[in-house]
């Protein structure tokens, strides 16, 4: 339904969106997750044809948004970061205005009634928008996006500034909308995205840092070089600890082994770290089989989506301290990078070229996209 190829946006010298590509299938709810300034709104503005891209392509149901904007845009309902509402109008006046603007052909009365019922704004239709609470205003913004029943909905931080009850209401509504529409929504809040979306794209510094379901993302970024082995030794007592630790240490590629607490009677867990290049799982298996030890568990140290998101954000902060000439930081520098083949990898040293990027970000904040439509 939506296809994005090598999409890039530069504001002057500042690369806000850097060569991102992804597809969204019909009926999917896709979440854009990323810290502030990651490029979410810029991407959404390009998807909806609100601003032009520097390079790359956006196809909405096969139509290029820049080649045939009318046709492509007819498929999209957009709720921008700041809802495009006229606060001096009544809700009804405004929605009728949008109905005309979109040249909607659906039966006016019935359609507006349906949209208002869906967004739960029936009881405020006669009210002036500026007198409504933020939650209601946001729902009016959503109603505007739903007029003419577009198959694609693009919602930029739809719950920002709402109270917890309102957030739950909007989430429930988005989930409901996801049954009939293809939805992309953005947020910088992880639980929000996790609660609503089938699939997640993590955007960081204008690039796709991860793409998949929450489980897939967590699995892909698993620390393959750290694992825990639970193994039943010959004596089923503490005497096994040294024997097994030494035997694991002898496997090529193993850097560190430590026997952990007794997890089951007479059985210990061994925390193992490798050089990061060698996959020792088969050697471990062979070692245990040859000695007649039973493997009761082998677990790679999984990261939750939250760990991953924090790592991405943390890497940012480490870089920021570098900007302040703090070279003495002893924090581990971990970053998650995308390889050219699209695979994710965790790298320890943050790429020093990013520092320049961050400095540029601090320097700019001008609104230089005027003139673009
Ligand atoms: P997000 O929505 O993820 O918070 P944005 O897409 O708004 O991020 O911004 C991405 C980057 O582009 C930020 O560094 C932001 O400061 C910059 N940016 C956004 N809009 C403009 C603009 N009109 N002119 C210059 N820089 C901009
Ligand atoms: Mg934004």
């Amino acid at each position: 339904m939506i296809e994005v190829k090598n999409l890039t946006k530069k504001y002057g010298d500042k690369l806000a969106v850097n060569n991102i590509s992804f597809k969204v299938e019909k009926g999917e709810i896709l979440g854009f997750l990323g810290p502030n300034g990651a490029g979410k709104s810029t991407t959404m503005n390009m998807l909806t044809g609100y601003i032009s891209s520097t390079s790359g392509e956006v196809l909405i149901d096969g139509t290029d948004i820049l080649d045939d904007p009318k046709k492509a845009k007819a498929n999209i309902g957009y709720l921008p970061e700041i809802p495009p509402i006229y606060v001096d109008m009544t809700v009804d006046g405004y929605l009728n205005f949008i109905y005309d603007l979109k040249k909607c052909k659906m039966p006016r009365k019935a359609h507006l009634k349906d949209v208002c019922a869906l967004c739960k704004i029936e009881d405020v239709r006669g009210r002036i928008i500026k007198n409504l609470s933020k939650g209601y205003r946001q729902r009016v913004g959503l109603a505007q996006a739903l007029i003419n029943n577009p198959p694609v909905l693009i919602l930029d931080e739809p719950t920002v500034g709402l109270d917890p009850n309102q957030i739950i209401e909007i989430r429930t509504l988005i989930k409901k909308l996801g049954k009939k529409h293809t939805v992309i929504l953005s947020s910088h809040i992880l639980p929000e995205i996790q609660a609503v979306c089938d699939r997640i794209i993590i955007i960081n510094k204008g690039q796709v840092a991860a793409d998949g379901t929450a489980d897939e993302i967590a699995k892909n970024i698993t620390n393959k070089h750290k694992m825990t082995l639970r193994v039943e030794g010959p004596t089923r007592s503490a005497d096994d600890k040294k024997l097994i630790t030494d035997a694991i240490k002898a496997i090529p590629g193993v850097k560190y082994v430590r026997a952990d607490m007794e997890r089951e009677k007479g059985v210990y867990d061994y925390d193992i770290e490798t050089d990061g290049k060698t996959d020792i799982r088969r050697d471990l298996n062979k070692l245990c089989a040859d000695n007649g030890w039973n493997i009761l568990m082998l677990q790679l140290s999984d990261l939750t989506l939250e760990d991953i998101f924090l790592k991405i954000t943390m890497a940012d902060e480490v870089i920021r301290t570098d900007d302040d000439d703090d070279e003495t930081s002893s924090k581990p520098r971990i970053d998650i990078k995308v390889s050219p083949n699209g695979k994710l990898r965790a790298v320890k040293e943050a790429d020093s070229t990013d520092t320049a990027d961050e400095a540029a970000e601090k320097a700019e904040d001008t609104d230089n996209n005027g003139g673009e439509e």
Side-chain angles (χ1 to χ4, degrees), residues 8-242:
T8 296
K9 179 72 186 182
K10 278 186 175 174
Y11 292 114
D13 286 342
K14 162 85 192 173
L15 200 50
V17 171
N18 184 3
N19 195 31
I20 72 174
S21 301
F22 60 88
K23 276 187 196 176
V24 195
E25 302 299 335
K26 218 174 190 144
E28 218 173 6
I29 306 186
L30 172 72
F32 275 170
L33 176 66
N36 288 323
K40 304 180 297 293
S41 297
T42 303
T43 304
M44 291 182 142
N45 282 337
M46 290 190 281
L47 289 183
T48 52
Y50 181 68
I51 63 171
S52 60
S53 52
T54 305
S55 59
E57 251 183 297
V58 175
L59 302 176
I60 307 288
D61 205 13
T63 307
D64 189 305
I65 192 92
L66 297 179
D67 287 352
D68 193 348
K70 259 193 178 162
K71 187 172 170 207
K73 285 183 189 180
N75 286 308
I76 304 173
Y78 184 28
L79 176 63
E81 203 161 16
I82 300 164
I85 42 182
Y86 294 105
V87 294
D88 290 325
M89 291 176 110
T90 61
V91 171
D92 235 1
Y94 171 67
L95 293 179
N96 270 288
F97 166 68
I98 298 293
Y99 178 98
D100 293 333
L101 208 65
K102 290 195 181 180
K103 299 198 170 75
C104 185
K105 298 278 189 305
M106 300 170 75
R108 183 187 292 259
K109 247 189 152 172
H111 181 48
L112 291 184
K113 189 165 180 263
D114 288 348
V115 167
C116 289
L118 197 58
C119 298
K120 292 203 183 134
I121 50 173
E122 301 119 302
D123 48 339
V124 297
R125 287 183 68 167
R127 303 260 305 265
I128 307 259
I129 295 177
K130 71 174 164 209
N131 299 333
L132 297 177
S133 69
K134 177 117 185 46
Y136 268 112
R137 271 191 241 177
Q138 196 69 356
R139 281 188 257 166
V140 173
L142 206 52
Q144 151 294 123
L146 288 171
I147 287 179
N148 209 18
N149 203 19
V152 175
L153 290 175
I154 298 191
L155 314 173
D156 196 356
E157 307 246 8
T159 62
V160 86
L162 302 186
D163 70 37
N165 285 327
Q166 295 167 332
I167 289 177
I168 292 171
E169 275 180 22
I170 295 271
R171 276 187 196 166
T172 313
L173 176 56
I174 293 171
K175 277 202 127 166
K176 197 166 166 190
L177 291 171
K179 297 204 171 105
K180 286 199 186 138
H181 302 258
T182 304
V183 182
I184 302 184
L185 92 149
S186 72
S187 175
H188 60 283
I189 302 160
L190 173 69
E192 169 117 344
I193 294 281
Q194 248 176 333
V196 181
C197 303
D198 308 321
R199 193 176 127 215
I200 301 168
I201 289 186
I202 301 182
I203 299 191
N204 189 43
K205 292 184 202 153
Q207 284 181 300
V208 174
D211 181 351
T213 62
D215 282 351
E216 282 166 359
I217 290 176
K219 213 157 59 192
N220 268 333
I221 309 189
T222 296
N223 282 330
K224 274 232 171 60
H225 67 291
K226 273 190 180 174
M227 60 195 81
T228 305
L229 176 75
R230 183 173 303 166
V231 58
E232 190 176 40
T235 69
R236 288 195 61 124
S237 76
D239 294 344
D240 294 342
K241 280 207 254 183
K242 186 163 174 6

Side-chain angles (χ1 to χ4, degrees), residues 257-322:
V257 186
R258 189 177 67 96
D260 200 349
M261 304 159 52
E262 185 179 26
R263 295 294 170 158
E264 295 174 31
K265 191 154 174 34
V267 178
Y268 295 83
D269 277 4
Y270 299 84
D271 291 330
I272 307 169
E273 223 179 298
T274 71
D275 56 12
K277 289 175 235 145
T278 325
D279 187 351
I280 61 156
R281 289 175 296 172
R282 288 161 194 85
D283 291 336
L284 270 180
N285 189 43
K286 188 166 182 317
L287 172 75
C288 295
D290 288 352
N291 286 289
W293 305 335
N294 293 316
I295 293 179
L296 302 183
M297 182 192 82
L298 173 63
Q299 192 176 45
L300 299 175
S301 325
D302 280 336
L303 298 174
T304 63
L305 193 57
E306 186 162 16
D307 295 332
I308 293 163
F309 186 49
L310 281 177
K311 276 192 175 190
I312 291 174
T313 334
M314 236 169 53
D316 268 5
E317 273 162 18
V318 174
I319 292 160
R320 285 213 179 88
T321 52
D322 288 352

